[in-house]
Amino acid sequence: SCCCLAETKTTRKNFPTMTELLCIPLKQTGEVDLVKPIKSIISSSRSVTTADLNSLTELQNLRSKMVAAIKNQQFTEATLEDAQNYFDQIGHLELKIPFNNTK
């Protein structure tokens, strides 16, 4: 699917008319395993706990739900909340793990 932008011009009555249509493909996303690489980063500095694994699994589930919603074009209040929660969790994770220092 794509996002379409229309260039318009004004007619004599100031009503816009479509003159050109530009179709821009939406970015494609797919499944990504977040658990394994983040678990590896954590284990490089300390033991991975059950709470860590549960949190990483929840993060993975949030991402999977978000990807499925995007692929199925399900833009509901619930999917918006899931996306917001996912990005909040990523933000909190970035504060705990300095990703700029990773390889």
Side-chain angles (χ1 to χ4, degrees):
S1 60
C2 66
C3 175
C4 296
L5 304 173
E7 179 184 322
T8 60
K9 66 179 179 181
T10 306
T11 62
R12 284 185 282 155
K13 295 182 182 183
N14 291 327
F15 294 110
T17 59
M18 191 178 313
T19 58
E20 294 183 23
L21 186 65
L22 174 64
C23 191
I24 303 168
L26 295 176
K27 181 180 175 185
Q28 296 294 314
T29 188
E31 292 299 318
V32 173
D33 179 13
L34 298 176
V35 176
K36 186 176 178 181
I38 296 172
K39 183 178 158 186
S40 176
I41 291 168
I42 294 170
S43 66
S44 69
S45 62
R46 63 176 175 79
S47 297
V48 178
T49 65
T50 303
D52 293 332
L53 291 176
N54 291 341
S55 295
L56 290 174
T57 301
E58 181 182 343
L59 181 66
Q60 182 68 49
N61 289 339
L62 283 171
R63 186 181 194 293
S64 296
K65 285 170 63 176
M66 187 179 66
V67 168
I70 291 169
K71 284 183 177 182
N72 297 324
Q73 296 185 4
Q74 296 174 341
F75 306 113
T76 65
E77 191 68 31
T79 58
L80 176 61
E81 288 176 18
D82 286 339
Q84 289 172 331
N85 193 6
Y86 171 74
F87 287 113
D88 285 346
Q89 295 303 317
I90 291 292
H92 291 297
L93 187 60
E94 287 177 335
L95 295 174
K96 295 177 182 180
I97 300 174
F99 286 103
N100 57 348
N101 295 336
T102 61
K103 295 180 183 178

